[in-house]
Amino acid sequence: MKTISKSVWYRILVIVCMLQVGLGAAIAQNTTVKGTIKDARTGETLPYVSIIIPGTTMGTLSDVDGRYAMTLRENHPTIKFTYVGYLSVEKQISAGNDQVIDIKMSVDASMLKEVTIKGKGRYRNKDNPAVQLIREVIAHKDQNKMAANEYVEYEQYEKISMALSNLSDNFKDRRVFKNYQFLFKEQDSTAMGGKNMLPAYIEEKLSQVYFRKSPYTKKQKVLANRRAEFDAKFVDNDGLSNYFNRLYEDINIYDNDISVATNLLLSPIANSAPTFYKFFIRDTVKTTTPWLIELGFVPRNKTDMLFEGKLFVTLDGNYGVQNAYLTVNKDINLNFMRDLEASLEFEKGPDGRYHPTKTSLAMEFALGEKGGGLYGQRVVNFKDYKINEARPDSVYKGPNEEIAYNPEIKTGDSFWNSARHIPLERSELDIYRNIDTLQTIPSFKRTMDIATLFLAGYKSFGKVEIGPFNTFYSFNPVEGFRLRFGGRTTTELSKRVYFETYAAYGFKDQKWKYFLSGTYSFNNKSVYHFPLNYLRASYQRDTKIPGQELQFVQEDNFLLSFKRGDNNRWLYNDIYKLEYVRELENHLSYKVGFTQWRQHAAGILRYETLDEEGVLRNVGALSNTEANFELRYAPNEQFYQGKLYRTPIINKYPIFTLRYNAGIKGVFEGQNDYHNMAANISKRFYLSQFGYADVTTEGGYTFGSKILFPLLTVHRANQTYAYQLNSYNLMNFLEFVSDHYASVDVQYYMNGFVFNKIPLLKKLKLREVFSFKGLMGGLRDENNPAYNPELFRFPVDVDGKPISYTLSRQPYIEGSVGIANIFKLLRVDLVKRFTYLNNPNVSEWGIRARFKLDF
């Protein structure tokens, strides 16, 4: 089975691992109070009743059915119930005991003259004043958006902080933390994150933002940036920052969809909001100018990807949002989400519109309802608005985010004390110093070293590191039992020159395989750190399966040793390669390379031709020389840089890739002359509460004649039991060969939209997934060995029957239906192959599994 992308684990769990956090935190004795709240006269349940513990900040609301539940970690004598239009009720609590307290509330006649509250009657949109109000808000969205102005300019300050949360006193007092007590922070036990927290990360950014309506431009000039950084040997600090900022994105209530933890949730003022939400007028606020209406909202279906909360809408004819408070239902199918709170504040500007002054998004992630978790908060503050003041065109040109400071010059406390819009808490100020102090403690270094070995597969010895460990043992039919050992140099040896090597030995074929590369970095940065700018020369002697290309995993990974069907056609390759790689800040990159390789068939694979008398002649080896060029454009790309691979943090932007390879005959024993071009476009389409779809299209064409089949496109097949995104999962190795092709791959994830509505399944938080893979192609007669006996004939089985074919008859099609989010980690698909079922040794059906970690 395919190995889980270890850098995905690494970026989420690295803080937990580095501080030796377990989830066995002891829980103090609690008091749970629950019940149902009803109208004393009619017996109707009352939704959204305010429930508070007098003298504290603790509180909650009843749900749409009038039910409530509170867990108190400390002893409190009473609980109070308040509701607009009703008399308050206060009840005694029996401390330390779980209890049911049902409440009947009586109408306050004087309040009812101003506000009418409906209970659990039949909800409908027609003649509903709350729905009429939200429709007015929706109708006035365009005039209240920033884009209603020709130009807007403002200063923006943002901070994001992370902390380990809900740690018990027993956990804090563990012996292992004896020297780390200075790291902990105590707060009100009722607040999100619990009593004991361990601040672990902070990042601050100061920017000037320029908006222009036509042509549309939103330019952010970053004036300063500061963050707590970990040792680059263990953590990709840029990737960590990218990932945290992807989880905690900007919240714009006027957008139809709002990103939360990489998922899109429908805004309560989206055009279609009345279809998916229920709205209730809860109060009229007359203490402000203009008056405000407090408008509550909840999902019609509690499991859909929707918010619940309240809006304060202005009654000045603009129907603008002055404040918003958002959370999510506990039944929503968001993984690891223990709690969420978001608040948005707006202020009336000189143009009469309400502009955001502050937004806050706080989320706590955890593996379960109790025990330790990871709490994070992003706060963004806006000030110094300038409306409709045009700037020169040069201000709006360039990338959407531009660094306007020197990253080599660190900004100190004096700068940030004056630049911050809002002061940091004392515990946040301490994070910078604490992280620096922590990295000098030997026990912390050992912990990070062990975490890096387990999660990234490498063990550091300073100037060199050994790994990846998951490739040290594997097996296959050609080599049998295979041992491998390798390593590479680090920046401690040099920031300019890097070396990497490995050696492997197969006990069945009794042959050594090895690899050696030397790389020179032109920008004095690691060759694994964006932006790349290096020249690499390498030599490799090793085995390979024809037509298998893997991402984020080594081919000799132990788990990929298990394959179905025949797997005894391999290649021995001797490859010399010289390549130059350059990445630009706008994520346009290119590779220019020169490759010379010599290839021998292995296993039962044979390179054979027919002579003039029709007799098969075995060809010892294929020698080829190639010039290579690749152009890639990935606007706004984000990723976490692991020790081996970049794990993409996928967003809505497309990725374009163009590849060109030219065979050069007569140079360094090159025997072939051809030109191959291929183009690939991939993009994620977000469908709000209906999930998302990853779509990839690809096409290729090989120019030339009399081209040997190993140099054509051998389509990517998969004979493992893992579901591979970039391969055809029921296609056999070497089954199809083309010199021109076009393909489409669709992976559709519904995020539990259907399963969440099935009572038995919704508690499991399973998710639906569907896939479709289609491939059209063909082979021109001049490249078909059936018409050209001097070409390598297609591979055959032990009985002499062909096992390789062309796609001239019909497309290759396979699809799957699957269940994802099993144990929050596993995806299992039932895959069906629809075409070419008469080919030998093919499977019409198959079950494949894949590790997939999602929020």
Side-chain angles (χ1 to χ4, degrees):
M1 186 179 297
K2 183 174 181 178
T3 303
I4 188 170
S5 175
K6 294 186 182 286
S7 54
V8 173
W9 278 112
Y10 198 76
R11 67 192 186 207
I12 295 177
L13 299 179
V14 63
I15 299 175
V16 179
C17 289
M18 76 178 186
L19 295 172
Q20 302 170 317
V21 170
L23 292 174
I27 304 299
Q29 186 177 21
N30 297 328
T31 301
T32 299
V33 183
K34 62 182 179 179
T36 305
I37 308 169
K38 297 181 178 181
D39 184 294
R41 185 178 64 86
T42 66
E44 289 184 334
T45 56
L46 298 178
Y48 321 119
V49 175
S50 295
I51 304 151
I52 62 172
I53 302 300
T56 75
T57 59
M58 296 178 60
T60 187
L61 295 174
S62 63
D63 65 15
V64 69
D65 298 317
R67 294 190 294 265
Y68 76 94
M70 284 188 73
T71 298
L72 311 177
R73 294 185 175 89
E74 299 171 356
N75 295 336
H76 299 280
T78 60
I79 185 170
K80 187 176 182 179
F81 303 83
T82 62
Y83 200 45
V84 177
Y86 286 77
L87 298 172
S88 299
V89 176
E90 193 163 336
K91 293 286 187 179
Q92 297 291 320
I93 299 175
S94 175
N97 298 319
D98 294 346
Q99 54 216 272
V100 177
I101 301 178
D102 293 326
I103 301 298
K104 293 184 178 181
M105 302 188 73
S106 300
V107 171
D108 184 343
S110 62
M111 291 285 290
L112 274 180
K113 293 178 181 178
E114 294 193 5
V115 181
T116 301
I117 302 293
K118 293 187 176 182
K120 192 188 173 183
R122 181 175 176 269
Y123 181 91
R124 61 181 184 176
N125 284 354
K126 186 177 180 181
D127 299 325
N128 185 332
V131 176
Q132 292 171 7
L133 177 61
I134 200 64
R135 292 193 189 280
E136 290 289 351
V137 175
I138 294 170
H140 288 78
K141 275 201 311 181
D142 288 341
Q143 74 178 53
N144 287 315
K145 289 179 178 179
M146 181 175 64
N149 297 288
E150 294 297 325
Y151 301 92
V152 180
E153 179 181 336
Y154 55 88
E155 186 177 280
Q156 175 177 307
Y157 166 78
E158 56 190 284
K159 68 171 182 177
I160 182 168
S161 57
M162 308 295 293
L164 301 179
S165 58
N166 269 295
L167 306 174
S168 71
D169 290 332
N170 289 342
F171 177 81
K172 178 184 174 184
D173 295 335
R174 283 181 177 177
R175 190 172 131 189
V176 70
F177 294 113
K178 180 180 179 181
N179 297 325
Y180 302 146
Q181 289 300 305
F182 65 92
L183 296 172
F184 289 90
K185 165 193 170 184
E186 288 193 9
Q187 63 175 14
D188 187 338
S189 62
T190 62
M192 186 190 300
K195 178 183 177 183
N196 293 319
M197 299 182 69
L198 202 161
Y201 180 84
I202 188 169
E203 180 177 4
E204 300 176 273
K205 184 186 292 185
L206 183 70
S207 308
Q208 191 71 18
V209 180
Y210 302 90
F211 168 80
R212 179 176 62 184
K213 184 175 182 178
S214 181
Y216 181 88
T217 308
K218 189 176 181 182
K219 178 75 170 281
Q220 181 177 5
K221 283 195 173 183
V222 182
L223 306 178
N225 185 271
R226 186 189 192 192
R227 68 188 179 203
E229 294 201 343
F230 303 95
D231 192 329
K233 291 190 302 183
F234 305 122
V235 177
D236 172 22
N237 288 288
D238 289 338
L240 205 62
S241 174
N242 286 337
Y243 194 71
F244 287 154
N245 281 280
R246 179 73 173 93
L247 292 179
Y248 294 81
E249 290 193 84
D250 291 333
I251 296 180
N252 185 349
I253 196 73
Y254 289 103
D255 287 341
N256 279 330
D257 295 297
I258 298 172
S259 178
V260 172
T262 72
N263 291 279
L264 286 189
L265 277 65
L266 192 73
S267 168
I269 62 172
N271 296 339
S272 59
T275 303
F276 296 95
Y277 286 102
K278 295 180 181 180
F279 294 93
F280 305 88
I281 294 177
R282 298 178 54 188
D283 201 357
T284 304
V285 181
K286 298 182 179 180
T287 57
T288 64
T289 302
W291 288 1
L292 303 172
I293 290 290
E294 181 182 339
L295 189 65
F297 57 91
V298 295
R300 290 177 181 265
N301 188 304
K302 294 182 289 186
T303 58
D304 285 346
M305 289 286 191
L306 301 166
F307 293 103
E308 59 184 42
K310 56 186 176 181
L311 306 171
F312 289 87
V313 180
T314 64
L315 292 181
D316 58 355
N318 290 319
Y319 297 98
V321 177
Q322 196 236 36
N323 288 89
Y325 301 93
L326 310 176
T327 185
V328 293
N329 192 279
K330 62 181 178 63
D331 293 326
I332 192 172
N333 194 342
L334 275 175
N335 282 340
F336 314 112
M337 180 75 71
R338 179 182 284 169
D339 205 353
L340 179 149
E341 292 177 0
S343 65
L344 294 83
E345 301 174 16
F346 297 80
E347 192 174 274
K348 195 171 186 178
D351 58 342
R353 296 185 176 89
Y354 282 82
H355 301 285
T357 57
K358 182 180 179 181
T359 65
S360 174
L361 173 61
M363 295 186 287
E364 185 182 17
F365 302 97
L367 297 180
E369 291 297 322
K370 298 180 180 180
L374 183 65
Y375 168 84
Q377 183 183 38
R378 183 170 187 256
V379 178
V380 185
N381 207 79
F382 312 86
K383 72 175 186 179
D384 298 339
Y385 277 93
K386 296 179 182 179
I387 307 299
N388 292 327
E389 295 185 17
R391 292 279 188 169
D393 287 344
S394 59
V395 172
Y396 304 102
K397 290 181 179 178
N400 293 337
E401 182 174 296
E402 180 180 306
I403 304 300
Y405 66 95
N406 186 349
E408 301 300 324
I409 301 176
K410 302 297 183 182
T411 50
D413 290 337
S414 59
F415 170 84
W416 285 102
N417 289 338
S418 60
R420 290 187 186 102
H421 295 191
I422 48 179
L424 293 182
E425 298 178 11
R426 179 65 188 177
S427 59
E428 292 176 323
L429 278 170
D430 290 341
I431 295 177
Y432 292 110
R433 184 182 69 251
N434 291 346
I435 294 300
D436 291 339
T437 302
L438 194 65
Q439 295 182 99
T440 65
I441 300 175
S443 60
F444 170 77
K445 291 183 177 181
R446 287 194 298 271
T447 301
M448 288 300 293
D449 207 29
I450 294 171
T452 304
L453 173 62
F454 177 73
L455 296 173
Y458 278 87
K459 174 68 175 72
S460 177
F461 293 94
K463 295 181 180 180
V464 298
E465 54 187 6
I466 304 302
F469 279 81
N470 61 350
T471 65
F472 282 6
Y473 167 71
S474 62
F475 59 88
N476 62 69
V478 173
E479 298 176 274
F481 169 50
R482 170 182 165 125
L483 291 180
R484 168 177 154 169
F485 183 80
R488 62 191 185 187
T489 64
T490 69
T491 53
E492 290 190 26
L493 177 68
S494 172
K495 291 186 177 181
R496 288 285 188 185
V497 180
Y498 299 83
F499 297 98
E500 182 175 0
T501 187
Y502 71 77
Y505 184 77
F507 284 81
K508 182 177 180 180
D509 64 357
Q510 298 183 350
K511 291 184 179 181
W512 284 96
K513 294 87 183 177
Y514 38 85
F515 170 80
L516 176 65
S517 74
T519 307
Y520 182 82
S521 174
F522 291 96
N523 58 4
N524 205 31
K525 287 187 176 182
S526 167
V527 292
Y528 308 104
H529 190 280
F530 179 86
L532 303 179
N533 185 8
Y534 65 76
L535 179 69
R536 172 177 290 164
S538 65
Y539 171 70
Q540 182 182 42
R541 166 172 284 190
D542 211 334
T543 58
K544 186 181 185 303
I545 301 175
Q548 184 176 50
E549 295 182 16
L550 303 173
Q551 287 189 335
F552 313 128
V553 67
Q554 294 282 328
E555 190 164 321
D556 50 3
N557 184 295
F558 169 72
L559 293 178
L560 292 184
S561 299
F562 301 94
K563 294 181 173 68
R564 62 176 177 84
D566 292 332
N567 179 34
N568 49 8
R569 294 172 182 84
W570 285 63
L571 300 170
Y572 288 115
N573 288 299
D574 287 278
I575 303 173
Y576 297 87
K577 180 177 288 189
L578 180 69
E579 63 177 353
Y580 174 68
V581 178
R582 178 70 187 273
E583 292 181 328
L584 306 180
E585 292 289 347
N586 63 356
H587 292 275
L588 176 68
S589 63
Y590 59 90
K591 296 180 184 178
V592 180
F594 183 84
T595 306
Q596 200 286 326
W597 47 268
R598 188 171 179 82
Q599 192 175 85
H600 297 262
I604 64 171
L605 180 64
R606 297 287 183 271
Y607 285 167
E608 298 174 321
T609 62
L610 289 173
D611 62 18
E612 295 178 355
E613 298 178 358
V615 178
L616 281 176
R617 182 173 63 88
N618 186 54
V619 180
L622 169 63
S623 184
N624 193 58
T625 302
E626 240 180 21
N628 318 109
F629 177 74
E630 177 178 304
L631 187 65
R632 184 177 184 270
Y633 181 49
N636 300 293
E637 183 181 35
Q638 295 176 311
F639 49 80
Y640 183 89
Q641 178 66 62
K643 289 285 186 179
L644 280 172
Y645 305 104
R646 288 176 175 175
T647 301
I649 304 171
I650 301 176
N651 54 32
K652 64 181 179 181
Y653 299 98
I655 298 175
F656 306 90
T657 306
L658 177 67
R659 297 183 183 91
Y660 169 72
N661 299 310
I664 307 174
K665 190 173 183 178
V667 177
F668 294 113
E669 300 182 354
Q671 300 171 342
N672 308 279
D673 189 7
Y674 59 89
H675 301 273
N676 174 272
M677 295 191 69
N680 179 291
I681 303 174
S682 61
K683 176 175 168 53
R684 173 166 290 183
F685 294 88
Y686 288 97
L687 307 172
S688 191
Q689 68 273 26
F690 297 104
Y692 61 88
D694 290 333
V695 180
T696 302
T697 59
E698 183 174 299
Y701 197 95
T702 302
F703 300 88
S705 62
K706 310 293 185 181
I707 304 173
L708 305 175
F709 84 82
L711 304 175
L712 301 174
T713 300
V714 179
H715 294 290
R716 294 186 294 268
N718 174 30
Q719 288 186 206
T720 73
Y721 295 97
Y723 187 92
Q724 294 182 5
L725 296 177
N726 299 303
S727 302
Y728 299 96
N729 289 282
L730 291 180
M731 184 184 290
N732 292 332
F733 295 138
L734 281 166
E735 186 174 357
F736 291 104
V737 179
S738 301
D739 59 14
H740 59 279
Y741 70 95
S743 67
V744 62
D745 178 1
V746 180
Q747 304 285 323
Y748 176 38
Y749 303 86
M750 288 191 71
N751 278 350
F753 185 76
V754 175
F755 287 165
N756 287 342
K757 298 168 180 62
I758 302 174
L760 184 62
L761 293 179
K762 69 180 182 180
K763 291 185 178 181
L764 300 176
K765 294 193 173 183
L766 301 176
R767 299 176 181 176
E768 319 83 349
V769 59
F770 307 89
S771 77
F772 171 84
K773 294 174 184 280
L775 171 66
M776 298 179 63
L779 186 62
R780 304 189 304 275
D781 288 348
E782 59 263 34
N783 294 320
N784 193 332
Y787 305 108
N788 300 276
E790 69 274 21
L791 298 178
F792 289 0
R793 72 166 184 165
F794 282 162
V796 297
D797 61 17
V798 292
D799 297 322
K801 296 179 180 179
I803 63 164
S804 295
Y805 305 90
T806 67
L807 288 162
S808 56
R809 288 188 288 121
Q810 58 184 331
Y812 174 88
I813 297 174
E814 71 177 32
S816 73
V817 295
I819 299 175
N821 213 41
I822 302 171
F823 308 120
K824 299 182 181 180
L825 289 175
L826 189 63
R827 164 184 170 178
V828 178
D829 284 68
L830 176 63
V831 188
K832 177 175 171 56
R833 173 170 168 161
F834 293 95
T835 55
Y836 294 98
L837 298 177
N838 293 326
N839 286 2
N841 302 315
V842 302
S843 300
E844 182 179 359
W845 297 91
I847 295 178
R848 302 289 179 266
R850 174 181 179 81
F851 287 110
K852 187 175 189 297
L853 183 68
D854 265 338
F855 288 99

